[in-house]
Amino acid sequence: MPPPSASRKFMYPEQSVPYSVYIKQEHPDELFAKLEKPGKLQLEERPTFLKVGALATVKGSAYMEYGKTKVMTSIEPPRELNKQTKKIGTLGLVTCTLKYAPFAVKDPACIPRKETSMALALKKALEPVICRHEFPYFQLEIKVLIIDDDGCALSTAINCCGAALVDAGIATYDLITASTVCKYKDVEFVNPNAVIEQLVSTITNSESDEEHGIVVTASLAAVDQITECFQKGYFKPETLQQLTDHTLAINERILDTVRYVLFNKVKTLLEKEKEAREVIETINAITESTVAE
Amino acid sequence: MANISLSEAEKTFILHGVEEDFRCDGRSRRDYRPMELETDLVSNASGSARLRLANTDVLVGIKTEIDKPNYLTPDQGKIEFFVDCSANAAPEFEGRGGEELALELADTLTNAYESPKAFDLKTLCILPGQQCWKLFVDILILECGGNLFDAVSLAAKAALFNTKIPRVTAALMDAGEAELLISDDPYDCTRIQIENLPILVTVCKIGDSCVVDPSAEEEECSIASAVVGVSKRNGKNYISNVHTIGEGSLHKDTMHNCILLGLSAAENLNNELVKALKLEESRVGSKHRNTIGFLK
């Protein structure tokens, strides 16, 4: 029984199938053999583009490209809650909505499930970082749009939200960063792309002893805390700890990027302000001198 | 989860108890509350189980239906989890109130069962690309007394153990479409292998220590917990799903300790569950018995 909302969101006719089904399917093992495998484990982020304040119409926004993954976030200013709402407490409420563009993934059938589960994970990752006691009886709405998903969608969304929160002027305890690591057939993939993410969930030999799975960790570097750790697959406990450590190392690299972008944003803002002040001062000086005459 | 209000003094009392390794109900930090498990009590479902963990009451019914396999995975069956938080369990579940929790529970179970090593969907395939079994795992939460994740996963595993899938005796090919013949003997059926099925353990951080099986009051005192999905395979324990719940965050080392505690708790729990299920089956067997109502 699909959730009633699923059929409404998914606009394609139920009977149609993508033509790629009729193309000769590659066996996962062959696909894996063809994949470019990382020679040495490099705990680095992908080439990243981040723009804060990308939208003029909302209070805070950010646009992030993480490799080919493209995410847009917008944050509305906190809104007062209806007095009848039962959820009222002394802490502000955070709601996250996450939408996939219909063309963001190859197989649009998986979108409804991804949207709900990622929105939940996003909320859990962001709640601890926001100073919620600063806006009791208010609700903060965070909207995320995934424009293109080439792996690491959840971690990119978290990174993007972290930057957008700062842009919106919402008080946070720290800057939040997140990253994704996969393991498949004893090879570790840092920042996996969509092909690898798809591959990880399939396994050819279910009798063997090998591990497979994906780990997403969101962390706060300054206070040394993990706000969200999400894993699925099949791991030994030691592997999980090792992969979590790797994600934390990448998180610190991403933090540098985000910090740099935010720093530049503030710098340009201050410069603009200074220029404006100088202009006003010169105008004042001119008017004063003319008045004196 | 269930919103109960506690005063600061009550919270401190619980916190101190956890620190002393002597909780309000006399348990240590690694102990579970007593459980009651019954299977095969819903006559219209292929398999069912009801688990009562102290005050938490969960009823699981499993329906088996025939469906067309997904075009991406033609040789796999399907399983779907659906959780319903009944308004009987807690007044705030009324209307759409329980929807978020229900989604989270269903999503966690789906993630934990996703690995082919935890649950092999290939066993549910009838004719590759044509027909497969689809299992609907419907979970009803009747009462909410804390630790829903563990209760739900245990009940789901018990219900899957109890599930009887009718045997397909023949398939007739009619103009390229397969027509199945199902055995008309209701006792002629296949069972689901449950050895590898994962169970979830919630490890709750209260103060500086971690506890398993938190009661509703203890859940109120904690700001962060980790849910660990543990699946046993060839005598070794593997992690099939981890995620954090609650509004707080955890330190890296705490997180690791939580996972280790969850693993050891899950191992015992899993053994006990399998033992209990086998015991029930050997006592009752496949005999037709009079189901006694569970609402005493």
Side-chain angles (χ1 to χ4, degrees):
Chain A
M1 208 186 330
S5 58
S7 51
R8 249 181 286 130
K9 269 183 204 161
F10 178 49
M11 296 156 293
Y12 295 85
E14 270 169 45
Q15 296 299 312
S16 75
V17 287
Y19 63 87
S20 55
V21 174
Y22 297 99
I23 299 173
K24 196 174 166 276
Q25 296 283 315
E26 272 179 327
H27 194 260
D29 282 345
E30 286 169 30
L31 201 63
F32 177 74
K34 267 194 213 164
L35 270 182
E36 203 181 305
K37 281 166 219 85
K40 211 175 114 225
L41 187 67
Q42 278 178 320
L43 298 177
E44 279 180 357
E45 82 251 46
R46 286 189 199 168
T48 311
F49 173 81
L50 175 64
K51 185 183 165 87
V52 282
L55 296 172
T57 46
V58 287
K59 185 143 188 276
S61 62
Y63 170 71
M64 188 168 182
E65 281 183 25
Y66 193 61
K68 281 183 197 153
T69 305
K70 299 178 188 73
V71 177
M72 173 79 100
T73 310
S74 62
I75 294 174
E76 309 265 345
R79 198 156 47 78
E80 197 173 352
L81 276 170
N82 191 346
K83 284 274 181 287
Q84 268 95 48
T85 317
K86 289 174 202 156
K87 289 178 193 164
I88 281 185
T90 51
L91 294 173
L93 217 64
V94 177
T95 51
C96 290
T97 37
L98 188 138
K99 288 264 176 282
Y100 261 83
F103 43 77
V105 282
K106 278 233 172 73
D107 174 27
C110 65
I111 286 181
R113 174 153 189 251
K114 276 194 175 177
E115 278 179 350
T116 47
S117 68
M118 277 171 67
L120 267 175
L122 190 65
K123 185 186 169 194
K124 275 185 291 177
L126 293 176
E127 257 186 350
V129 76
I130 299 169
C131 302
R132 294 197 293 145
H133 56 88
E134 294 213 339
F135 51 96
Y137 306 106
F138 276 72
Q139 180 183 15
L140 182 68
E141 209 170 330
I142 299 172
K143 289 175 186 155
V144 179
L145 175 68
I146 313 264
I147 302 167
D148 202 346
D149 178 3
D150 188 30
C152 307
L154 177 60
S155 53
T156 312
I158 295 173
N159 289 330
C160 199
C161 285
L165 279 172
V166 177
D167 183 50
I170 307 289
T172 54
Y173 292 104
D174 196 0
L175 262 179
I176 184 169
T177 46
S179 58
T180 314
V181 171
C182 271
K183 189 164 185 171
Y184 185 65
K185 290 193 193 291
D186 285 328
V187 185
E188 207 172 298
F189 295 96
V190 173
N191 303 317
N193 61 27
V195 179
I196 302 174
E197 277 191 3
Q198 181 67 39
L199 193 64
V200 164
S201 59
T202 63
I203 195 154
T204 45
N205 182 4
S206 56
E207 290 309 309
S208 70
D209 207 24
E210 76 202 27
E211 299 162 279
H212 69 115
I214 184 164
V215 181
V216 182
T217 317
S219 66
L220 310 174
V223 285
D224 209 5
Q225 294 274 312
I226 296 177
T227 63
E228 162 87 354
C229 176
F230 172 85
Q231 178 262 337
K232 62 180 182 181
Y234 217 63
F235 279 142
K236 288 187 189 119
E238 310 88 62
T239 324
L240 179 64
Q241 199 195 7
Q242 190 195 349
L243 292 185
T244 319
D245 285 346
H246 290 169
T247 50
L248 290 179
I250 306 166
N251 283 355
E252 286 193 21
R253 301 291 296 260
I254 297 173
L255 185 65
D256 289 339
T257 317
V258 177
R259 207 178 262 158
Y260 176 78
V261 171
L262 289 173
F263 178 75
N264 272 355
K265 166 96 179 171
V266 174
K267 213 161 94 180
T268 42
L269 265 181
L270 284 179
E271 266 168 20
K272 265 188 197 159
E273 215 169 83
K274 201 178 155 199
E275 269 171 32
R277 214 183 304 131
E278 271 168 13
V279 170
I280 291 170
E281 268 167 22
T282 34
I283 293 173
N284 282 351
I286 293 166
T287 42
E288 265 171 35
S289 58
T290 43
V291 167
E293 270 172 28
Chain B
M1 300 201 183
N3 266 334
I4 43 166
S5 24
L6 286 183
S7 69
E8 278 305 310
E10 284 170 299
K11 283 188 179 174
T12 323
F13 179 73
I14 291 174
L15 196 93
H16 284 208
V18 169
E19 259 169 35
E20 302 267 317
D21 205 2
F22 191 72
R23 286 149 80 178
C24 298
D25 37 14
R27 288 182 289 159
S28 80
R29 290 198 284 258
R30 315 167 65 93
D31 285 342
Y32 266 79
R33 290 170 288 177
M35 277 178 228
E36 247 174 62
L37 180 68
E38 279 179 89
T39 55
D40 206 14
L41 24 76
V42 182
S43 56
N44 283 328
S46 313
S48 56
R50 173 237 173 194
L51 185 97
R52 191 172 172 84
L53 170 65
N55 281 333
T56 305
D57 213 331
V58 178
L59 179 66
V60 179
I62 294 180
K63 282 185 293 171
T64 47
E65 280 183 19
I66 291 175
D67 197 10
K68 208 173 170 308
N70 190 340
Y71 49 80
L72 287 173
T73 51
D75 57 346
Q76 289 182 6
K78 295 177 182 174
I79 185 164
E80 201 166 297
F81 294 92
F82 182 77
V83 180
D84 183 29
C85 292
S86 155
N88 293 325
E92 61 268 21
F93 288 162
E94 209 176 326
R96 296 171 64 106
E99 208 172 56
E100 197 176 321
L101 177 65
L103 265 178
E104 191 174 352
L105 283 165
D107 201 52
T108 313
L109 280 172
T110 317
N111 285 336
Y113 277 72
E114 197 177 85
S115 168
K117 298 180 110 178
F119 182 59
D120 196 2
L121 286 172
K122 284 183 183 149
T123 54
L124 296 179
C125 181
I126 305 169
L127 277 172
Q130 303 245 25
Q131 316 250 269
C132 70
W133 291 108
K134 181 165 189 175
L135 299 181
F136 291 97
V137 184
D138 291 308
I139 301 163
L140 197 61
I141 293 169
L142 299 171
E143 203 176 332
C144 195
N147 205 10
L148 276 180
F149 282 90
D150 301 25
V152 161
S153 75
L154 286 170
K157 186 165 177 170
L160 282 169
F161 174 76
N162 181 242
T163 302
K164 293 170 183 77
I165 302 175
R167 203 182 292 278
V168 178
T169 49
L172 300 172
M173 294 303 274
D174 184 17
E177 290 283 314
E179 239 174 63
L180 298 179
L181 278 180
I182 306 280
S183 167
D184 48 8
D185 176 9
Y187 294 105
D188 186 19
C189 49
T190 51
R191 304 286 290 266
I192 296 169
Q193 292 299 316
I194 62 149
E195 280 93 73
N196 303 331
L197 292 189
I199 54 171
L200 303 171
V201 173
T202 316
V203 186
C204 197
K205 185 174 178 267
I206 299 174
D208 289 330
S209 352
C210 302
V211 299
V212 295
D213 189 24
S215 63
E217 288 81 16
E218 283 168 332
E219 270 174 1
E220 278 297 297
C221 299
S222 139
I223 54 157
S225 324
V227 179
V228 190
V230 183
S231 157
K232 196 173 182 184
R233 195 178 184 91
N234 304 333
K236 266 189 261 174
N237 284 308
Y238 289 87
I239 298 171
S240 77
N241 171 255
V242 169
H243 77 139
T244 45
I245 54 171
E247 50 202 31
S249 55
L250 294 165
H251 188 264
K252 188 177 76 178
D253 299 336
T254 324
M255 176 95 198
H256 188 59
N257 288 341
C258 282
I259 291 173
L260 291 183
L261 176 61
L263 271 171
S264 69
E267 187 170 8
N268 296 333
L269 202 57
N270 210 354
N271 292 342
E272 288 304 316
L273 176 71
V274 173
K275 214 189 279 173
L277 287 173
K278 295 245 162 86
L279 187 71
E280 192 193 15
E281 176 131 303
S282 66
R283 276 197 195 154
V284 184
S286 56
K287 275 177 285 176
H288 219 63
R289 60 172 164 145
N290 292 330
T291 353
I292 303 152
F294 57 85
L295 293 172
K296 278 171 267 179

